[in-house]
Amino acid sequence: MHYIDLPDFVHELVALRPLSRADAAAWYAYLTMPRVLDHTSWDLRSMDDLMQKFDALESLDPASEIRLAIVRHDSGALVGTIGFHSISLLHKTVEIAYDLAPAVWGKDIAPAVCNAVAEWGFSYLGAVRIQATVLDSNTRSIRVLEKCGFQCEGLLRSFRMVRGHPRNFWIYSRLDLRVTEA
Ligand SMILES: CC(C)(COP(=O)(O)OP(=O)(O)OC[C@H]1O[C@@H](n2cnc3c(N)ncnc32)[C@H](O)[C@@H]1OP(=O)(O)O)[C@@H](O)C(=O)NCCC(=O)NCCS
């Protein structure tokens, strides 16, 4: 991984730390639950598919994907991940992505962590624009983005194949208003 400082993030239930291969089994266990899978573009057929993701995450390329683990304070168990992909150093843009295990849904973790990581994207990574693409059916994630100050920019029609089917995604963005004009 090519970052040094973790985002400032304080929450009564969870903390952030770097994601590692040791988290793969716990991550895979909830990513493949239908409730999680249904509204994402993940297409995991086996743990091997997920392990390939770690090859990219361990790259030292400064434009490579970044993913952090969201872990419980009490047990240390992995209950989510969050990070950036599609990082453009030239344009100072990144795309945010996150997921939580259903056991911790509805506890206000997602907006808190999304907000903290977005702030970190601006201040630490120097991004001027953070975008998010979200399946049109993903009402929970849409609400999280709106609560974190992301603005909807439109519908991307048949933007990604999702397990064999072309699907529409909303595109949202949040700008660093200290250095950009909305
Ligand atoms: C997206 C995700 C991280 C959100 O976490 P969460 O804990 O469910 O989020 P929260 O409970 O804090 O917020 C969800 C919001 O959606 C609302 N919501 C929940 N179910 C809803 C539904 N069926 N329809 C409309 N809104 C709904 C909640 O009321 C809440 O809004 P509120 O705080 O204004 O009441 C989590 O659901 C998840 O990991 N999903 C699977 C992976 C995923 O979708 N990742 C994002 C890909 S873009």
Side-chain angles (χ1 to χ4, degrees):
M1 288 197 178
H2 54 84
Y3 57 84
I4 303 165
D5 296 327
L6 292 171
D8 286 333
F9 176 66
V10 179
H11 191 279
E12 59 181 336
L13 286 178
V14 295
L16 289 174
R17 65 157 170 74
L19 187 69
S20 80
R21 283 178 190 263
D23 296 312
W27 196 17
Y28 184 81
Y30 75 75
L31 278 181
T32 50
M33 289 178 180
R35 295 171 71 193
V36 177
L37 198 59
D38 282 354
H39 303 298
T40 70
S41 49
W42 282 103
D43 190 10
L44 297 172
R45 295 190 186 93
S46 68
M47 273 283 283
D48 284 347
D49 289 348
L50 188 59
M51 296 317 287
Q52 287 174 22
K53 183 99 174 159
F54 284 93
D55 296 339
L57 291 173
E58 289 166 1
S59 165
L60 296 178
D61 180 340
S64 64
E65 182 170 352
I66 296 168
R67 201 89 175 192
L68 302 172
I70 304 168
V71 295
R72 292 191 68 110
H73 286 303
D74 52 7
S75 61
L78 182 90
V79 292
T81 75
I82 186 163
F84 296 119
H85 62 86
S86 306
I87 296 171
S88 168
L89 301 177
L90 176 64
H91 298 297
K92 299 182 186 292
T93 57
V94 299
E95 183 162 333
I96 196 165
Y98 46 76
D99 47 66
L100 286 178
V104 296
W105 287 6
K107 298 185 185 300
D108 211 32
I109 294 171
V113 76
C114 177
N115 202 44
V117 170
E119 292 290 345
W120 181 71
F122 295 135
S123 61
Y124 184 71
L125 296 181
V128 299
R129 169 190 165 90
I130 298 174
Q131 70 177 41
T133 53
V134 53
L135 262 171
D136 58 358
S137 60
N138 196 345
T139 43
R140 281 182 173 270
S141 187
I142 287 167
R143 185 73 191 117
V144 169
L145 292 169
E146 289 173 348
K147 285 203 283 190
C148 292
F150 283 72
Q151 288 183 20
C152 185
E153 295 178 328
L155 188 67
L156 302 173
R157 297 177 302 158
S158 296
F159 180 60
R160 287 193 183 115
M161 294 298 288
V162 177
R163 296 175 290 281
H165 301 282
R167 294 286 307 273
N168 299 336
F169 284 68
W170 292 106
I171 183 161
Y172 280 76
S173 76
R174 178 170 153 183
L175 305 183
D176 184 352
L177 296 176
R178 294 167 302 186
V179 295
T180 57
E181 290 184 13

